[in-house]
Amino acid sequence: MLQHRLFVYIDQVARSGSIRKAAERLHISASAINRQLIALEEELGTPLFQRLPRKMILTAAGEALIHHVRQSFKEIEIAQMKIEELKGLRRGEVTVAMMSGLAANLIPRVAAEFRRANPRVKLLLQQLTTGENITNAVASGEADLGIGFDFDLQPVHRNIASVPVRLGAVVGAGHPLAEKSSLRLSDCLPYPVVIADKSMVIRPYLNEVFARASVNLQPVIETNSIEVMRQSAMMDQTLTFLTPIDIESDQRSGRLIYIPVRELAQHTQTLMLIGHDRGTSAIGSVFAETIKGMMSELR
């Protein structure tokens, strides 16, 4: 508190060019400001002002300090605005851009938990087709937050949280492989496979693994929809390759089974929660913390 008051004194002296004028504006005695200023200069070992007959002018050291002082004022103002926003019954909107696989599992669960604590906040949850679409939405300010896999981040982005996840085989509860604790890619060949198409971030991982294992996989369906992969595995007894996050609710209910695949064990994707480097609103930060909490459970 004392430091903040001293910063106010210095700022006012710099703005008015006079201890007397600063004292009048702050409703305090000029001698009190002068004592504080002299004590600080003695502590720093250098003058902060040139004391001319009619004016106080900042020295080079004073210029450096006043920059820090005014930056501190800005940061305090931002913090106060966020506190006031949170005190205002947590109203407002949060826009989240997300990849398709998260729309049926992680995000609805996060939204339900968040809304229980913040019923007056409106959530705008936008499913976008590519990671580039999501990072662009965050960079432009169209989205407060973005969540998905393996984003190519730019300096304008801030990585708020990340967690590694592994691709594996996913089958319905009645599939012949459902009781297996692990598989090799060759075990998957006799069964119809649904696979991510080339527009999805999953596909490059799979192509690399198939090529290294010399496996010529012939899918019966290629799609850019996680929902199609999930439903096909449940309804048509196909096999697909997804992460546990993609089938979280179906796995809990026993409708889908995730099976580790030996050749995919070294290949991880990274689930990332990103924001803008300038930060987000207070309520956006609260939503981000809710997502981070659930992401930490996936480790």
Side-chain angles (χ1 to χ4, degrees):
M1 191 68 180
L2 286 174
Q3 185 186 53
H4 180 72
R5 187 180 305 142
L6 179 54
F7 282 178
V8 172
Y9 295 167
I10 294 168
D11 181 56
Q12 281 299 327
V13 172
R15 289 181 187 278
S16 63
S18 163
I19 290 178
R20 180 183 58 79
K21 289 180 181 177
E24 289 174 357
R25 291 177 182 176
L26 296 172
H27 306 289
I28 190 173
S29 70
S31 60
I33 293 178
N34 194 43
R35 281 197 305 272
Q36 294 276 354
L37 188 55
I38 290 171
L40 179 59
E41 288 176 326
E42 289 176 351
E43 182 181 341
L44 295 175
T46 186
L48 299 174
F49 291 90
Q50 294 180 45
R51 287 170 166 77
L52 303 179
R54 293 183 176 276
K55 192 163 186 178
M56 302 273 287
I57 299 176
L58 287 164
T59 64
E63 291 282 1
L65 180 61
I66 204 69
H67 174 77
H68 169 71
V69 165
R70 289 171 181 169
Q71 190 63 36
S72 296
F73 288 162
K74 288 180 184 177
E75 291 173 358
I76 290 170
E77 184 179 352
I78 290 170
Q80 287 174 334
M81 287 173 60
K82 289 190 173 185
I83 289 169
E84 288 304 312
E85 185 180 342
L86 288 172
K87 285 163 61 179
L89 297 178
R90 289 187 170 175
R91 297 175 183 272
E93 293 182 355
V94 182
T95 303
V96 182
M98 59 187 173
M99 284 187 175
S100 63
L102 305 170
N105 293 283
L106 180 66
I107 293 301
R109 199 153 63 91
V110 171
E113 179 175 320
F114 176 81
R115 282 205 20 81
R116 280 193 289 272
N118 306 277
R120 298 174 183 269
V121 178
K122 182 179 180 179
L123 295 177
L124 303 174
L125 306 177
Q126 301 175 345
Q127 182 175 307
L128 302 182
T129 54
T130 68
E132 184 179 8
N133 292 151
I134 294 172
T135 55
N136 287 344
V138 173
S140 68
E142 293 176 27
D144 300 301
L145 302 167
I147 185 167
F149 294 95
D150 299 328
F151 291 137
D152 183 13
L153 300 185
Q154 305 300 321
V156 73
H157 297 116
R158 180 168 62 100
N159 188 2
I160 299 172
S162 58
V163 60
V165 292
R166 283 186 173 83
L167 283 168
V170 170
V171 297
H175 195 278
L177 297 177
E179 299 300 321
K180 297 286 187 180
S181 59
S182 66
L183 296 172
R184 298 191 68 97
L185 278 178
S186 57
D187 298 326
C188 304
L189 291 177
Y191 303 98
V193 171
V194 177
I195 197 169
D197 70 15
K198 294 177 182 178
S199 70
M200 299 190 70
V201 294
I202 298 173
R203 189 59 179 266
Y205 291 95
L206 295 176
N207 286 346
E208 182 182 343
V209 172
F210 295 158
R212 184 176 297 145
S214 299
V215 171
N216 183 22
L217 200 66
Q218 297 296 321
V220 296
I221 298 174
E222 291 190 42
T223 179
N224 66 350
S225 169
I226 300 290
E227 185 66 16
V228 169
M229 298 181 209
R230 292 173 50 250
Q231 293 295 334
S232 180
M234 285 188 282
M235 299 170 63
D236 196 24
Q237 290 298 292
T238 58
L239 179 148
T240 191
F241 298 98
L242 293 169
T243 72
I245 296 172
D246 296 319
I247 62 164
E248 183 190 24
S249 60
D250 297 315
Q251 193 173 15
R252 282 200 314 253
S253 68
R255 294 190 297 265
L256 289 176
I257 311 296
Y258 171 87
I259 310 170
V261 176
R262 193 172 306 177
E263 290 89 343
L264 293 172
Q266 301 305 315
H267 292 259
T268 61
Q269 289 185 279
T270 303
L271 178 64
M272 304 171 71
L273 173 65
I274 64 169
H276 201 285
D277 68 340
R278 66 170 177 261
T280 185
S281 65
I283 200 62
S285 298
V286 172
F287 189 74
E289 288 300 316
T290 307
I291 297 178
K292 282 173 64 177
M294 289 204 179
M295 286 175 64
S296 66
E297 297 174 6
L298 303 174
R299 295 183 182 278

